[in-house]
Amino acid sequence: MTLGVDPGSQRIGYVVLSFIGGVPHIVDLSVHRLTGTLTQRVGAIADDVAELLTEHPIQRVAIETPFVGGRRSNARSFRVLGECMGAVRVECSRAGIEVVEVSPAEAKRSATGNGNATKEQVARAGAARCGLDAEKIVGEAADAIAVGLAGGAK
């Protein structure tokens, strides 16, 4: 099984994918809103990941790397995102689980075949590949699915 993570400091998306005969199946899908100080949010991420790693026989974790060049790209946002990603890595290290990095373009390409796909295209394609209704998958959940699909293929 692969855990796909779309990290963020306000919301974080998680998907647990099982690949049966090369076909992805969603075992668990969630988006968590993070509140409190940065320290509390990073702690909540670590707790989430530890719980998911305990609940499911995860063999690999795929985490999306930051997109460089967007209008919200700045040193502070990268530092905060790095701390959130670090929480995921620490829990994976404790569990002895491999972490692979997936760029936003790789995630989009894995879900849609197009590295420049829109969020809506990623949601529709990811949902279709996993047998879900695209209307129920938004934002971080769609991105987590795309990351999990890309990470499962690595």
Side-chain angles (χ1 to χ4, degrees):
M1 284 190 189
T2 297
L3 171 62
V5 181
D6 178 36
S9 62
Q10 302 295 317
R11 288 180 306 279
I12 186 164
Y14 302 104
V15 68
V16 176
L17 292 173
S18 173
F19 293 85
I20 301 167
V23 178
H25 299 275
I26 294 178
V27 175
D28 197 346
L29 178 65
S30 61
V31 174
H32 294 186
R33 294 193 187 287
L34 303 167
T35 60
T37 66
L38 178 58
T39 300
Q40 291 167 327
R41 289 179 277 155
V42 168
I45 291 169
D47 291 345
D48 287 347
V49 172
E51 184 177 321
L52 288 165
L53 296 178
T54 301
E55 288 179 6
H56 306 286
I58 304 294
Q59 298 151 328
R60 155 186 319 205
V61 174
I63 189 167
E64 188 173 48
T65 58
F67 173 71
V68 179
R71 60 184 161 90
R72 290 188 282 175
S73 296
N74 62 55
R76 182 185 182 288
S77 65
F78 283 119
R79 179 187 60 78
V80 169
L81 188 57
E83 291 186 36
C84 296
M85 293 172 68
V88 174
R89 286 185 178 280
V90 165
E91 293 305 320
C92 291
S93 174
R94 288 180 178 162
I97 296 174
E98 173 189 11
V99 176
V100 295
E101 292 185 352
V102 175
S103 73
E106 286 176 295
K108 291 175 181 182
R109 192 170 24 263
S110 180
T112 69
N114 176 1
N116 294 315
T118 65
K119 283 199 176 281
E120 293 79 18
Q121 290 170 324
V122 170
R124 281 194 309 271
R129 288 198 50 203
C130 297
L132 296 176
D133 179 2
E135 298 297 318
K136 296 180 181 177
I137 299 176
V138 294
E140 290 78 11
D143 292 344
I145 291 170
V147 170
L149 290 170
K154 284 191 170 191

